[in-house]
Amino acid sequence: MSNVIKNPRNGCALHGALQTVQEINGAVPVVHANAGCGVVNYLANQRFSGGASSYSGFSIPGTAAQERHVIFGGASRLREQIKNTIKIQKGDLYVILNSCESAMVGDDVDAMTREIVEQGEPVVDTLVAGFNGGPHYGYEQVLGDIFKSIYEVKKSGLKRESNLVNIFGIVPQKDPYWQGNLNELQRILTGLGIKSNVFFGTEGGVADFVNAKNASASIVFSKWGELPAKILNEKFDIPVIYRSSLPIGTEKVQDLAEAINKVISLDESLVKDFLEKEEHTEKSLIFRVRDEIFELGLSKNAVIIGDEEQVIRLGSFLKDRLGVVISSVVLIDSLKKDEAHETNDEEVLRTISENIYKGADQKEIDEIVSSSDVEVIFGSSLEKGIAEKLNLPLVEVSYPIADKLILNRTDAGVNGVISLLENYITVVKQYDERKKELASSIIKEVKGGESWRELSQKKNFLRQSNLITELPTREYISAQR
């Protein structure tokens, strides 16, 4: 019997592939599936974080396969849908997304794709059926399939650019800050004298995929960018620079610059000037909140729940810069049973916390949080329940985030340091204010005639609930009367 997952935060591989293609400017997704696949993805994500892309919800082109297509095959329906989509939707690239139904039936999607390509249309396909894995896997596989085929349908000459890099490993929509992080990373690389193909969002698009073969390196910021970088390395001999996470803070930016400099020669003077400006900005802004950092006691025991890359990035900053003790981490990347990546960040994770868990079942996550000695939770909106139950502050940093609109904020680079501090300090201040309000309400009730025994009972309740460490003395209350 299958296990039941409470509050699943990850969809299927098809959803991950769809979310990826949706964020490529100029790309049009064509979903070869039943009518529900694309709509379910939309309904699951519509209330979270960063709004909707150009092709989302009911506007996603799809075959809307029915029972007869499952029984007799849906190749003819796919042919019809591709032709209709090309007529109605103008795109630089059309990406056919396979599904569980078409994979089980055995529709020859490759044949349909070749047929349309021979007619001069820019079409590629990916055979990532939903049951193959989760959305992170879908992101990686659809990028790999695009790079395997795009240079046959979008022909161009090879002209290597000495200061151009490809960026992989930032999963659109699964990282709530993906758009802002891409922009921040592009800003950092520009400051180092490097141009970048970001592929997604406001600055990326199909042109980046065509131009990717001209890059002098691919930078992979999580294991999920490993496959597309590997394919480009095999096809065009493009070196791969692997980083465990996006940089946060000037020190990590400097580490990134040093890693790039081993592959691409950087202008030392330009890099020095840029890093000095970044360091000045970071120190100046942190200095402005020095009192809050100490007065609020931000060096708390914490648990972090998020993707592996987020845990490494945020965990290292919280631990090294704020003195936060990371009691436990929960990695929510959706893995296949036979998942295989060449890179292994186990040692890096061990430097952040000794207690490392993997899984996305909310019941299990709640149990981990409850059994950990923590004073603050860094997680998603799904942790609100356990945060309220344990009366702990919750800093929302990972997917899904339901009560905030995030369009272009970042939690990477120097700007990410400031954003994280703003978020953390705000949550702790609000939490402390709620404690004061509750203590004040109890005192008012006592002044209204409650017995000291009743006050003592409430005092013990407050302490056990971690709401307040000290209530006014009996003498103080008597004096106030």
Side-chain angles (χ1 to χ4, degrees), residues 450-467:
E450 283 192 351
S451 68
W452 180 249
R453 180 180 178 183
E454 290 171 322
L455 173 62
S456 299
Q457 290 174 342
K458 289 186 176 181
K459 179 179 179 181
N460 289 333
F461 169 75
L462 291 171
R463 283 176 171 168
Q464 291 170 4
S465 301
N466 194 31
L467 282 169

Side-chain angles (χ1 to χ4, degrees), residues 297-365:
L298 297 188
S299 302
K300 301 178 182 293
N301 289 356
V303 60
I304 306 178
I305 300 140
D307 287 352
E308 183 177 292
E309 184 276 327
Q310 291 175 306
V311 167
I312 294 173
R313 169 163 40 98
L314 301 181
S316 62
F317 174 81
L318 293 170
K319 178 175 175 288
D320 298 339
R321 300 293 299 276
L322 296 182
V324 174
V325 177
I326 313 298
S327 299
S328 304
V329 301
V330 183
L331 310 179
I332 60 174
D333 308 43
S334 51
L335 298 173
K336 288 177 60 181
K337 291 182 180 179
D338 59 346
E339 192 65 64
H341 286 95
E342 293 180 4
T343 52
N344 188 331
D345 290 321
E346 191 74 20
E347 291 186 9
V348 179
L349 287 165
R350 290 294 177 192
T351 64
I352 296 172
S353 177
E354 285 298 319
N355 300 311
I356 302 170
Y357 304 91
K358 297 179 181 180
D361 182 3
Q362 194 62 50
K363 182 179 179 182
E364 293 180 358
I365 292 174

Side-chain angles (χ1 to χ4, degrees), residues 81-275:
Q81 183 59 48
I82 296 172
K83 291 181 178 180
N84 289 339
T85 300
I86 292 174
K87 288 179 183 178
I88 297 173
Q89 300 287 352
K90 180 177 175 56
D92 298 319
L93 184 70
Y94 299 86
V95 184
I96 303 172
L97 304 173
N98 204 13
S99 68
C100 298
E101 294 92 339
S102 57
M104 290 187 292
V105 171
D107 285 342
D108 195 345
V109 178
D110 282 342
M112 292 298 99
T113 303
R114 288 194 299 270
E115 180 182 311
I116 302 299
V117 169
E118 288 172 359
Q119 297 173 15
E121 301 295 346
V123 180
V124 299
D125 67 82
T126 180
L127 302 179
V128 183
F131 53 67
N132 281 334
H136 302 81
Y137 176 83
Y139 158 84
E140 188 176 44
Q141 293 298 316
V142 74
L143 289 187
D145 287 341
I146 289 175
F147 282 120
K148 288 177 182 177
S149 305
I150 192 170
Y151 300 111
E152 299 300 320
V153 300
K154 305 283 283 187
K155 299 183 183 297
S156 63
L158 180 63
K159 186 178 180 182
R160 190 62 54 90
E161 297 185 46
S162 61
N163 67 334
L164 176 66
V165 300
N166 300 316
I167 296 174
F168 297 118
I170 302 174
V171 184
Q173 299 187 29
K174 295 307 293 181
D175 179 351
Y177 297 92
W178 69 272
Q179 176 66 86
N181 286 346
L182 282 175
N183 289 344
E184 175 69 1
L185 192 55
Q186 193 170 45
R187 183 191 70 82
I188 290 170
L189 292 172
T190 299
L192 299 176
I194 296 292
K195 296 191 296 181
S196 55
N197 290 319
V198 296
F199 303 107
F200 309 106
T202 58
E203 301 299 321
V206 173
D208 285 1
F209 285 85
V210 177
N211 196 37
K213 63 183 179 182
N214 297 319
S216 293
S218 293
I219 309 178
V220 177
F221 288 101
S222 77
K223 62 186 178 185
W224 300 110
E226 192 177 283
L227 179 61
K230 182 179 180 180
I231 291 172
L232 288 174
N233 175 261
E234 292 173 350
K235 291 174 71 74
F236 303 106
D237 196 29
I238 299 176
V240 179
I241 302 171
Y242 181 78
R243 309 294 296 170
S244 299
S245 68
L246 291 168
I248 181 168
T250 307
E251 185 177 336
K252 297 296 183 181
V253 172
Q254 183 173 353
D255 291 343
L256 173 62
E258 292 173 356
I260 295 174
N261 195 46
K262 294 178 181 178
V263 179
I264 301 175
S265 181
L266 300 178
D267 185 324
E268 293 184 7
S269 177
L270 182 67
V271 171
K272 181 181 178 182
D273 289 344
F274 176 74
L275 292 176

